[in-house]
Amino acid sequence: MTKSALQIARAAYQPKLPKVLASGAVKAVAGAALHLLPDTDAVVGFVSEYIFCFCEKH
């Protein structure tokens, strides 16, 4: 299969990182685990009900 000029250009693209990231001066550190909010069920219920009502009207 023949590649188009656009496919060749995309394959050759090398993104340029900011110097601070390329130098290794910034490092990723694992943080504390995330937790759900206490009222997650209420939020999900509200959103589900809102979407249901919105769909009924349209």
Side-chain angles (χ1 to χ4, degrees), residues 18-27:
K19 289 179 185 177
V20 88
L21 295 177
S23 69
V26 177
K27 298 186 190 289

Side-chain angles (χ1 to χ4, degrees), residues 3-19:
K3 291 186 178 182
S4 70
L6 180 59
Q7 288 172 317
I8 295 169
R10 283 183 175 161
Y13 177 70
Q14 294 292 319
K16 293 153 190 74
L17 288 175
K19 289 179 185 177

Side-chain angles (χ1 to χ4, degrees), residues 23-56:
S23 69
V26 177
K27 298 186 190 289
V29 177
L34 298 176
H35 62 280
L36 297 176
L37 297 173
D39 60 347
T40 301
D41 291 335
V43 172
V44 169
F46 172 78
V47 171
S48 298
E49 186 176 319
Y50 176 78
I51 291 172
F52 179 74
C53 292
F54 180 78
C55 291
E56 277 188 342

